């Protein structure tokens, strides 16, 4: 019996389960950071983007991403993923690799849900999920992980700061922009109003689940349970970046707002996780802490810029956390990689390759998702009516009340 093969297989399946559990984390973050009248709708979107994505990615998307390379741009079509992928040199069964990649695809798709929350038609979101998992994510993934042109240049994105998180973040930017802000978000003079979520407790639970799941997301990308030293290093860099991201975001908000902001600090932890994902295998422990510290700046000022300057309504901060931190983290590999990074005497070559990859994937995702969201808007419509938005999507889209047994308490003070 090949014990190495068995250990690798078991580890990748465990990591797959951890990454799948991140769907629950995204659902809790998005639900907690938005209003109670839309909770069921958000849960349904997180359930269905994984369900739709799993089927579509198995049927076509996996082949586009990992099929035989065609011109460095796309993999060959392989209906139902039945082909031979021996050229990948896998140390686990193909089915194990397929399900591992499936949960990554679903992560990219679900990021958009939070940014477009509380005003998107459910059927329109299903259409978006279908096409992102069918072609938009797989093509970007092929460039980076499937033997495409970026991988040939030496572009390094170990677990998906760009391949997964920036793709989701840029799609969120376009979707929220085309969709428009929630009712009451902006005053006539353009100043934003805060629309508090209904449960910081749920939001915090979601962040802890995501942090936990990231120990499958990054170390699992080794695809080997035998690489114990590398796995330990990745566990440490992942955790250190998240911790420093949370700590320094708390300190920044304490200084900037006069009090430590809970929701922004939670996003700071996520920003640190997203940013270190690209280089978690090749940055030092100190480099991971620095990435988390800088990610806290990206999260805070990125979310403020999107909200106040671009006037794009992102209820959960997905654009700043995933789009901007994903891009920053990928770029930081060119600075902080212990082998080839600029600050380690490696020159600017890797830095330029990283920058090119960030820009190329951003251009691909922004352009294709703009066409997709515009097409949806012009056909079936992207946004619910004002009455539906005011009443809440739980009732209007699903005929339910997520908190039907909860009654408001009124305190009478004599």
């Amino acid at each position: 019996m090949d014990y190495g093969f068995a250990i690798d297989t078991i580890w990748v399946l465990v990591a797959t389960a951890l990454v799948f559990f991140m769907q629950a984390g995204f659902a809790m973050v998005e639900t907690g950071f938005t209003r109670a009248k839309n909770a069921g709708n958000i849960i349904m979107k997180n359930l269905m983007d994984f369900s739709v994505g799993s089927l579509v990615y198995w049927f076509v998307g996996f082949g586009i991403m990992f099929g035989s390379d065609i011109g460095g741009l796309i993999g060959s079509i392989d209906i139902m993923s039945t082909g031979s992928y021996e050229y990948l040199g896998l140390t686990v069964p193909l089915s194990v690799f397929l399900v591992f990649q499936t949960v990554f695809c679903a992560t990219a798709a679900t990021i958009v849900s939070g940014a477009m929350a509380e005003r998107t038609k459910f059927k329109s979101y299903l259409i978006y999920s279908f096409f992102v998992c069918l072609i938009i994510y797989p093509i970007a993934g092929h460039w980076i992980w499937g033997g495409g042109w970026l991988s040939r240049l030496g572009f390094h994105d170990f677990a998906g700061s760009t391949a997964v998180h920036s793709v989701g973040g840029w799609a969120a930017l376009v979707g929220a922009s085309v969709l428009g802000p929630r009712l009451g978000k902006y005053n006539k003079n353009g100043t934003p109003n805060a629309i508090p979520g209904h449960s910081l407790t749920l939001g915090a639970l979601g962040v802890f689940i995501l942090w936990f799941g990231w120990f499958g997301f990054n170390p699992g990308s080794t695809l080997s349970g035998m690489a114990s030293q590398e796995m330990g290093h990745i566990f440490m860099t992942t955790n250190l970046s998240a911790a420093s991201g949370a700590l320094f975001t708390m300190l920044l908000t304490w200084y900037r707002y006069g009090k430590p902001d809970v929701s922004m600090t939670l996003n700071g932890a996520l920003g640190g996780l997203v940013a270190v994902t690209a280089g978690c295998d090749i940055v030092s422990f100190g480099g991971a802490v620095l990435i988390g510290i800088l990610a806290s700046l990206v999260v805070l000022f990125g979310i403020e810029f999107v909200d106040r300057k671009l006037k794009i309504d992102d209820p959960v901060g997905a654009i700043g956390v995933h789009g901007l931190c994903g891009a920053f983290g990928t770029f930081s590999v060119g600075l902080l990689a212990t082998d080839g990074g600029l600050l380690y005497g490696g020159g600017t070559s890797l830095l330029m390759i990283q920058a090119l990859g960030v820009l190329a994937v951003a251009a691909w995702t922004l352009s294709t998702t703009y066409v997709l969201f515009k097409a949806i808007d012009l056909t079936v419509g992207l946004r619910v009516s004002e009455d539906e938005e005011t009443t809440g999507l739980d009732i209007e889209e699903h005929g339910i009340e997520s908190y039907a047994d909860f009654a408001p308490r009124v305190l009478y003070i004599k």
Side-chain angles (χ1 to χ4, degrees):
M1 179 179 180
D2 187 345
Y3 289 103
F5 183 80
I7 291 170
D8 288 350
T9 298
I10 291 169
W11 165 238
V12 175
L13 288 174
V14 169
T16 299
L18 288 171
V19 178
F20 168 71
F21 192 44
M22 291 173 72
Q23 286 288 127
F26 281 112
M28 295 300 98
V29 168
E30 294 167 17
T31 303
F33 284 3
T34 53
R35 289 168 290 186
K37 63 183 180 179
N38 300 304
N41 176 259
I42 290 172
I43 295 298
M44 192 69 161
K45 287 176 180 175
N46 279 271
L47 173 65
M48 295 315 300
D49 60 32
F50 184 83
S51 301
V52 170
S54 293
L55 293 169
V56 171
Y57 189 71
W58 158 72
F59 197 77
V60 176
F62 181 78
I64 291 175
M65 189 162 170
F66 290 103
S68 299
D69 179 64
I70 302 174
L73 298 175
I74 190 172
S76 57
I77 302 297
D78 178 24
I79 302 300
M80 294 190 291
S81 304
T82 57
S84 172
Y85 291 82
E86 293 181 0
Y87 52 85
L88 294 177
L90 298 174
T91 60
V92 296
L94 178 62
S95 59
V96 174
F97 184 67
L98 172 57
V99 74
F100 183 71
Q101 292 300 330
T102 297
V103 293
F104 274 63
C105 177
T107 298
T110 203
I111 289 168
V112 181
S113 172
M116 298 177 67
E118 304 199 293
R119 71 263 199 215
T120 306
K121 288 182 177 180
F122 181 65
K123 63 183 177 182
S124 301
Y125 184 77
L126 294 179
I127 296 170
Y128 148 80
S129 298
F130 177 88
F131 283 103
V132 164
C133 297
L134 176 75
I135 193 166
I136 295 174
Y137 169 79
I139 286 182
H142 180 78
W143 296 354
I144 297 167
W145 292 334
W149 67 278
L150 279 176
S151 65
R152 295 175 187 174
L153 289 176
F155 180 76
H156 188 90
D157 185 10
F158 182 72
S161 287
T162 285
V164 177
H165 295 281
S166 278
V167 167
W170 300 139
L173 173 66
V174 174
S177 177
V178 172
L179 187 62
R182 290 169 290 175
L183 297 174
K185 173 61 181 177
Y186 293 101
N187 299 313
K188 290 183 178 180
N189 62 3
T191 56
N193 296 310
I195 303 178
H198 82 281
S199 176
L200 274 176
T201 306
L202 282 179
L205 174 62
V207 170
F208 280 116
I209 291 173
L210 288 169
W211 196 328
F212 175 70
W214 236 283
F215 293 130
F217 201 95
N218 288 357
S221 294
T222 60
L223 298 179
S224 173
M226 302 291 286
S228 56
Q229 186 170 349
E230 185 181 14
M231 284 169 57
H233 181 88
I234 294 170
F235 262 87
M236 277 296 297
T237 54
T238 299
N239 192 61
L240 288 172
S241 187
S244 59
L247 175 60
F248 279 85
T249 303
M250 182 198 72
L251 295 174
L252 281 169
T253 59
W254 206 335
Y255 173 78
R256 191 169 175 82
Y257 305 146
K259 295 182 184 295
D261 185 276
V262 180
S263 62
M264 192 68 78
T265 301
L266 292 169
N267 270 333
L270 296 181
L273 288 163
V274 169
V276 80
T277 294
C280 57
D281 61 324
I282 57 171
V283 300
S284 67
F285 294 163
V289 171
L290 180 58
I291 287 172
I293 292 171
L294 295 177
S296 70
L297 295 169
V298 176
V299 166
L300 179 61
F301 294 106
I303 289 175
E304 287 187 356
F305 178 77
V306 169
D307 188 44
R308 300 176 184 179
K309 300 299 182 181
L310 297 183
K311 303 194 186 309
I312 295 175
D313 182 14
D314 177 3
V316 303
I319 299 166
V321 169
H322 298 278
L324 299 181
C325 283
F328 158 72
T330 307
F331 183 77
S332 70
V333 172
L335 296 171
L336 295 169
T338 54
D339 182 12
L342 177 63
L343 299 183
Y344 286 83
T348 61
S349 176
L350 180 58
L351 187 67
M352 294 299 101
I353 291 171
Q354 295 299 108
L356 174 63
V358 168
L359 292 174
V361 173
W364 163 254
T365 309
L366 291 169
S367 59
T368 53
T369 54
Y370 180 79
V371 172
L372 174 60
F373 283 122
K374 276 294 188 181
I376 294 172
D377 194 33
L378 292 172
T379 52
V380 300
L382 193 59
R383 184 167 184 146
V384 299
S385 69
E386 290 189 6
D387 287 343
E388 290 171 327
E389 183 178 345
T390 301
T391 303
L393 302 189
D394 284 5
I395 292 175
E396 294 293 340
E397 291 270 42
H398 307 287
I400 61 167
E401 289 185 67
S402 296
Y403 296 94
D405 291 338
F406 283 64
R409 293 181 60 191
V410 179
L411 299 179
Y412 294 96
I413 301 176
K414 294 183 179 179

